[in-house]
Amino acid sequence: MPQIIDNVSLRDHHTFATEAAARYAATILGVEDLLTLRASQVWQDNPLLILGSGSNTLFQNDFPGLILFNRIQGIEIVKESSEHIWLKVGAGENWHELVQYCISHEYAGIENLSLIPGTVGAAPIQNIGAYGVELESVFEELTAFELKSGKSIRFDHSDCNFGYRFSIFKGECINQFCITDVTLRLNKHPTFHLDYGQIQDVLNEMGVITPSIRSISEAVIKIRQSKLPDPIQLPNAGSFFKNPVISKEHFEKLLTSFPNIKYYPEKNNMKKIPAAWLIEQCGWRGKRSGRVGVHEKQALVIINYDHGSGSEICNLAKAIQADVKQKFDIELFPEVCIL
Ligand SMILES: Cc1cc2nc3c(=O)[nH]c(=O)nc-3n(C[C@H](O)[C@H](O)[C@H](O)COP(=O)(O)OP(=O)(O)OC[C@H]3O[C@@H](n4cnc5c(N)ncnc54)[C@H](O)[C@@H]3O)c2cc1C
């Protein structure tokens, strides 16, 4: 039986490193642990939360129930064809280590997602993405343990309702499941995605003439390390807000006042506006507010500089949201899960 521990500090369990405590916590290594814990009174009487590496979570308050630290391990080849290989991966495996494992075995498809912190089980929750690739492009299926019924249920691609930093697990199924494994369909013959951000420039700087999944991963790592703060040195949770998507009419109206506005075309004539640009235009880049502040190199990242609290981070986020709303009439929504 996994041990249930009382009053656990969450400071080292999420990358914002704010002081907060869980009333109870336990570590799960497999579905059997979930089944055993489910029979306990603590499980029955309390709210439940699954936590991976806490790299997309902010604790504003103590958590009044049972937190389950997902540490389910394992990588297994479940199918192979001349074109693809299917890997079933334990939800508690580290995402970046999985990317490196795939690169060392020449399995292509997730090299652009190098160095994203977190666990494999959390990757489908917000359909992680970077440098023109999203998890859904290699996603085959997952198994999720329904907390209420104790049943393990299979979700295929269409069941997950993936969108931009979204899946059913952030929507109608929020907090109802513990994802226990994820199956990815990787490519034996890579298709490179080099046209996003600075990947091609960095490959040129590296002297790479013929790209490989390894050199692309190295280029992505270089770019990320040059721009994004390491949460161990500067506690943060990556992009705090999602990039907002606005209508063509709204965009055209903004264009008259802000001719340099940055955007990416979306479906149905909608435009995705980089939230970092909006925040920067409001003068927030590099600005501190007490013990917390906005990163000087990337305005989308909020930093907990000096043991700030979850509330201080949320207050800063609200001030940024208010300024962006006032200046652009655009609402910013957090990407981070705030508890
Ligand atoms: C420096 C930095 C850079 C980042 N860059 C990117 C990026 O480029 N692209 C991107 O998409 N994200 C990025 N992120 C965000 C983060 O890395 C991802 O969202 C990651 O998938 C979170 O994994 P985690 O295990 O830490 O999730 P957690 O923070 O532990 O959990 C996130 C949410 O998922 C739920 N959850 C976690 N595991 C499970 C499970 N097994 N079953 C059910 N629910 C679960 C939690 O309850 C919570 O609601 C970045 C974060 C940081 C700190």
Side-chain angles (χ1 to χ4, degrees), residues 13 15 49-57 70 91 115-131 165 169-170 174-175 177-180 224 228-231 236-239 335 337 339:
H13 288 284
T15 56
L49 179 77
I50 319 298
L51 204 61
S53 310
S55 65
N56 202 26
T57 301
N70 186 341
L115 214 62
I116 297 182
T119 51
V120 169
I125 303 269
Q126 72 153 6
N127 184 22
I128 58 168
Y131 299 98
R165 299 299 173 272
F169 302 102
K170 273 199 136 181
I174 191 163
N175 296 335
F177 289 91
C178 174
I179 294 172
T180 52
R224 292 182 71 96
L228 290 171
D230 179 352
N236 75 87
S239 304
E335 181 180 310
C337 309
L339 289 151

Side-chain angles (χ1 to χ4, degrees), residues 42-227:
V42 169
W43 178 297
Q44 299 296 332
D45 294 347
N46 287 282
L48 303 169
L49 179 77
I50 319 298
L51 204 61
S53 310
S55 65
N56 202 26
T57 301
L58 170 62
F59 287 98
Q60 197 183 355
N61 299 299
D62 290 344
F63 186 73
L66 171 63
I67 294 195
L68 302 169
F69 299 126
N70 186 341
R71 302 290 179 264
I72 302 172
Q73 303 294 298
I75 302 179
E76 190 192 338
I77 296 173
V78 286
K79 206 161 101 179
E80 201 167 347
S81 71
S82 56
E83 297 295 313
H84 300 293
I85 185 130
W86 284 260
L87 292 187
K88 182 173 174 180
V89 187
E93 290 280 352
N94 176 278
W95 174 262
H96 179 65
E97 283 170 19
L98 173 68
V99 175
Q100 294 309 304
Y101 171 93
C102 290
I103 288 166
S104 64
H105 288 81
E106 305 268 330
Y107 306 150
I110 53 175
E111 54 282 357
N112 290 43
L113 304 179
S114 296
L115 214 62
I116 297 182
T119 51
V120 169
I125 303 269
Q126 72 153 6
N127 184 22
I128 58 168
Y131 299 98
V133 173
E134 289 184 322
L135 177 88
E136 66 162 311
S137 64
V138 293
F139 179 89
E140 180 77 15
E141 63 176 34
L142 62 77
T143 316
F145 179 93
E146 194 176 26
L147 302 174
K148 204 167 159 191
S149 68
K151 285 187 186 145
S152 282
I153 298 171
R154 202 180 130 263
F155 287 75
D156 66 17
H157 193 290
S158 65
D159 296 328
C160 289
N161 194 17
F162 288 121
Y164 163 60
R165 299 299 173 272
F166 183 79
S167 75
I168 195 166
F169 302 102
K170 273 199 136 181
E172 63 191 84
C173 290
I174 191 163
N175 296 335
Q176 290 175 33
F177 289 91
C178 174
I179 294 172
T180 52
D181 60 65
V182 178
T183 302
L184 303 180
R185 193 197 62 192
L186 298 150
N187 304 315
K188 290 188 173 172
H189 309 290
T191 310
F192 299 132
H193 300 275
L194 306 176
D195 45 356
Y196 200 95
Q198 302 158 274
I199 297 183
Q200 187 59 65
D201 295 344
V202 172
L203 285 171
N204 293 344
E205 274 166 36
M206 287 162 59
V208 173
I209 295 160
T210 314
S212 63
I213 56 173
R214 184 174 297 281
S215 61
I216 291 170
S217 169
E218 284 166 2
V220 168
I221 291 171
K222 255 180 193 270
I223 300 167
R224 292 182 71 96
Q225 285 175 336
S226 71
K227 279 190 178 169

